[in-house]
Amino acid sequence: MAPRQNTVLFRFNLSFIMLSREQRKEIKEVFAMVDTIGAGLLDGEALYKALRALGLEVPVAPAGIEDLLRTVGREQDGYIDIDDFQKIVSDLMLQRDEEDEEDDDSDRRRDAFRILAEDGRITLQSLRKASQAQGEAWTIQELTEMMNEADTNHDGHIDPVEFERIWKLAGL
């Protein structure tokens, strides 16, 4: 095995540790399954097959596989070992999970907007109705202040873009 540039004696892969025991076991099993000659190494084609076996989105173009090899410093070698594979897979799994969470957040934000909006926008009246339906005792002045904070283009209503901005500012 050729030495890596910038070799680190102790490599701590936090993303791999964040996976469940079952996921880590599956990653090792798939590596062994695809490593048909038992050399402990996978080339780009075997990496592609292994990632597909794990159900991960895989770049189809050779450049995509080269990018994955580059993330672990193996673009010159053209092959990876089990440690490299674990890093690539764990990073892809965590990235997929983060994207799923972002999708869930978008769904929650859209649902909240629909609850508060009438005719595709939030008005003082629709905000008042929603707050009353939720049992909130906001005064007209408080609701107006909320509207003014969110209504950045000062057109008298909150559109989806303004709602997304205020949603993020509120940390929701």
Side-chain angles (χ1 to χ4, degrees), residues 66-125:
E66 290 171 15
D67 287 343
L68 292 176
L69 293 174
R70 189 173 298 108
T71 64
V72 291
R74 294 292 194 156
E75 65 275 10
Q76 298 299 319
D77 299 335
Y79 59 84
I80 59 169
D81 61 19
I82 185 68
D83 293 332
D84 300 324
F85 183 66
Q86 290 171 339
K87 175 161 182 18
I88 290 169
V89 171
S90 58
D91 288 349
L92 289 173
M93 285 181 163
L94 291 173
Q95 179 182 349
R96 179 190 60 197
D97 292 346
E98 288 171 2
E99 289 170 359
D100 290 346
E101 286 176 16
E102 287 174 13
D103 290 343
D104 291 345
D105 184 53
S106 293
D107 291 343
R108 283 189 18 224
R109 187 176 56 248
R110 274 192 298 277
D111 290 345
F113 184 81
R114 278 190 225 118
I115 290 168
L116 297 171
E118 288 179 356
D119 299 323
R121 60 190 189 169
I122 299 171
T123 62
L124 182 59
Q125 291 76 22

Side-chain angles (χ1 to χ4, degrees), residues 21 30 50 52 60 71 76 80 89 106 132 141 143 155 167:
R21 177 174 290 152
V30 167
R52 294 294 300 156
V60 180
T71 64
Q76 298 299 319
I80 59 169
V89 171
S106 293
Q132 288 173 341
Q141 181 179 350
L143 293 171
D155 61 359
W167 179 275

